[in-house]
Amino acid sequence: MKRSQTYLSLTIVCLQFVGVVFSKPQASATFVEKLLELTADDQTKKDLPYVPLKEWHRAKGVYSSGVKLNFNGALDMAEARRLFDVFDNNMFVTSWVTSTLLEAVKYGGTPAPSNEQLTLAIQAFSKYHDKNQQYNTSTMSFWPLVFNSTLNYWSCAPDNLVATFDITDELPMNVIEALLKVLGMENLVDEIEFLLRDKDMYLRAFHIPPDFDDTFINLGLGALLFEQRKLLPEAWSLWQSQNMNLTSVFDALKKYAYRPFSSDPNVNTIDPRTYFYIRKFLDKAKADGGDIALVTTWIQSIEELRMLFYLNVGMPFQLNNVDVTVAANTIYGITSSILSGLVSPDVLADPVLEVRINTSSLIAFVIKTNFTGRPDLALTYYPSQIEFYWFVSRTVSALATAAQTGSIPLVVMEAVYNILKNATQYEMTKAILAQAKSEQSEKVYFDDFLGDGDVTHDHKPLIRGEDRIFTTAMAANALMNTWSIFDESTGKSHWRLGYTADSSENHHGLYYMVDSTYAGWKLRPLERFLLWLCQGYAKPALLVSS
């Protein structure tokens, strides 16, 4: 779990309560201020070098992100999961944390991050731009690019993970494994041997090309900075100076889209895992006589791979794929950049328009079919279904705000809004509420899978709920984005009007999770859920009469 993301997820949950459901008591403000303080303290203020077996390299400006392996089962495996934590310098976490801080300002009225905090983060992003192009580009990589003087080319890799593998060449691994066996940790030894057998494969896979996920997350961050440019002029100016050619993003989107009905192998070739989970979507499109263009993960073609593979830049498994979470972040980046005015609606001319409509339709299809029964394939890089729902709901929320004022600039954007709104208000809402768990009559929470695969000494299931806070925060955000609308004129959110909830039937996916009362008022499930999350920090202000 990414610690900084958890802090900020909780921050947004509490802040949106303040704007949507609750008044602003001092306790809530104090709680939010503490979360913001923890987040600011977490940012690396200066570059800290790698010291073998002692300190990880921490790049200046990044927020904490830990790479962990999901060891599970017996208690020794659980302890290995807890202890193994490799600090990872990447753009993804820092851009998300920065974006969420800015959203807290926009939606919750929190104090803006300091100029130093924003500058540190944005300056760090300069290392993630694709430097192998002969022009300024806003296509981004997950890990920082480093110049290889031997190959005369820039490539990226996770330096701390690479160092972790490299140091095994210097350690007495046979002795270490023998000692672990004496201590009864045979399962851990098996995992270590498995990882070391595939060491070369991992090191090869780490050298990835730029990707659309980080690229459009960066664009979404730019949209927030553009909206707040009067409040944060220096941060906006710094980001703008790094992103002078936003057209490059949309050019790449057109060039590298997956086009299954094309005769060009550069664009019709896809990872078989992707084909397996989207094949029915493609079959329907083919039967309807339509063409398809979908956003992919990697900004690289098969032809480019053949050349760049030997320069240490290649897609994992030498194939591109379609990950619906990457797709959701791409759709949000396009949407927010247009609605904010950062880019012109003219970018939606064909074939970008085709990619946006088709990708949105695929996202809705996946939601309505429960990930076609294969979430492990649809969520290639993000195993959390509820996090995916949050990603999708952000676009719904942005378009709902624009629809309220009649400022959706194009009919095609309204079409995407209707496609995603329908899927989130029905199937997504039902899916989220179906996963709700109740600890006590007034407490509802969500678990995913981390920490829930362990067993006790007598082999009984042990539920640790290690991703409970993060998953619950994502569920709350997804539901609030779907069922509330932000009013830009007042700076507050309100529940959507015109829906009802009844204990005997689902209506727009909302129903009573538990039939009970609170202070003489019957609560709709979402309000009840939100009330628990901020209980003790806020006073209920929006209740529904029974």
Side-chain angles (χ1 to χ4, degrees), residues 100-122:
T100 314
L101 284 168
L102 297 178
E103 288 186 345
V105 175
K106 177 178 179 178
Y107 297 114
T110 67
S114 69
N115 185 62
E116 177 191 14
Q117 190 175 353
L118 291 172
T119 298
L120 281 171
I122 298 170

Side-chain angles (χ1 to χ4, degrees), residues 71-83 173-194 457:
F71 299 128
N72 59 78
L75 296 180
D76 60 320
M77 297 296 286
E79 188 64 8
R81 180 179 69 246
R82 185 184 70 83
L83 293 174
M173 295 307 298
N174 290 337
V175 175
I176 292 173
E177 290 178 13
L179 177 60
L180 290 173
K181 288 180 179 179
V182 170
L183 296 174
M185 298 182 179
E186 290 86 356
N187 291 332
L188 181 57
V189 171
D190 290 342
E191 293 290 346
I192 292 173
E193 291 178 347
F194 173 80
H457 284 299

Side-chain angles (χ1 to χ4, degrees), residues 258 268-280 282 302 316-322 372 374 376-378 380:
Y258 170 48
N268 70 13
T269 305
I270 203 70
D271 190 317
R273 296 173 298 176
T274 292
Y275 179 77
F276 188 84
Y277 87 82
I278 69 170
R279 67 192 188 283
K280 292 182 180 179
L282 299 181
I302 296 294
F317 305 111
Q318 291 80 60
L319 286 170
N320 217 328
N321 58 67
V322 176
T372 70
R374 292 302 304 266
D376 56 323
L377 303 182
T380 318

